[in-house]
Amino acid sequence: VMALYASILSPLVPGAAGHLLAASLMNVPAALMIARLMVPRDFEGGPDTARYRRTHAYLAYATAGVFAVNGLVALLAPSARTPRRLDRVMAHRIALFTAALAMAGQAALGIYTREREGYLDQDRYARAHLVIGYGTLALVGAGVAVLVI
């Protein structure tokens, strides 16, 4: 994907590939920090210190909001005046809209899983939350892949 972006930007930005690579590498520490904040310690079996609980909630709600907006854009984006058929753009829209629905399920299941704290079935809900998360990632990957490949 980075090679595609670099080829698109290279006529406009000299050394676009280097800039994209540098930006990607600079993003790694921030992405790892955000990932660490998105997984509370008590889901890993450690003690619940509640140290990052508010930060986790803000990040979770912000992510759900971004997915909701993207899902609405995917659903409401104007179409060409051609007959509806399953082409790359339609497959992209379907995949990203379905990913937005899965993210809504993620948000609801995450809240419910948190409320199950201390119950014996919390791990089942946490596992379902994880499976839906990987499914959402796969849908987003498929939505991007149909446009790039």
Side-chain angles (χ1 to χ4, degrees):
V1 173
M2 190 167 26
L4 176 68
Y5 288 154
S7 67
I8 292 170
L9 291 175
S10 62
L12 304 172
V13 179
H19 291 295
L20 288 172
L21 181 62
S24 297
L25 291 176
M26 285 188 285
N27 182 46
V28 169
L32 291 173
M33 183 193 70
I34 294 294
R36 180 70 214 117
L37 292 174
M38 290 294 289
V39 179
R41 298 279 298 157
D42 56 337
F43 287 135
E44 295 176 341
D48 182 16
T49 61
R51 183 174 178 191
Y52 297 114
R53 188 171 289 166
R54 183 173 295 157
T55 305
H56 173 76
Y58 290 152
L59 288 170
Y61 290 129
T63 303
V66 166
F67 262 86
V69 168
N70 285 336
L72 284 174
V73 168
L75 181 65
L76 302 175
S79 299
R81 299 270 180 213
T82 59
R84 295 225 184 244
R85 64 188 196 298
L86 185 60
D87 57 356
R88 293 168 66 154
V89 173
M90 185 57 73
H92 171 77
R93 288 175 67 182
I94 290 169
L96 290 188
F97 180 69
T98 308
L101 291 178
M103 190 63 188
Q106 269 290 81
L109 192 56
I111 292 167
Y112 185 73
T113 301
R114 184 72 185 160
E115 290 175 4
R116 300 298 298 170
E117 180 81 31
Y119 288 91
L120 293 176
D121 62 348
Q122 183 187 16
D123 65 330
R124 284 188 334 188
Y125 291 108
R127 195 171 301 113
H129 184 67
L130 185 66
V131 168
I132 292 173
Y134 283 126
T136 304
L137 177 64
L139 286 165
V140 170
V144 171
V146 296
L147 292 181
V148 174
I149 296 176

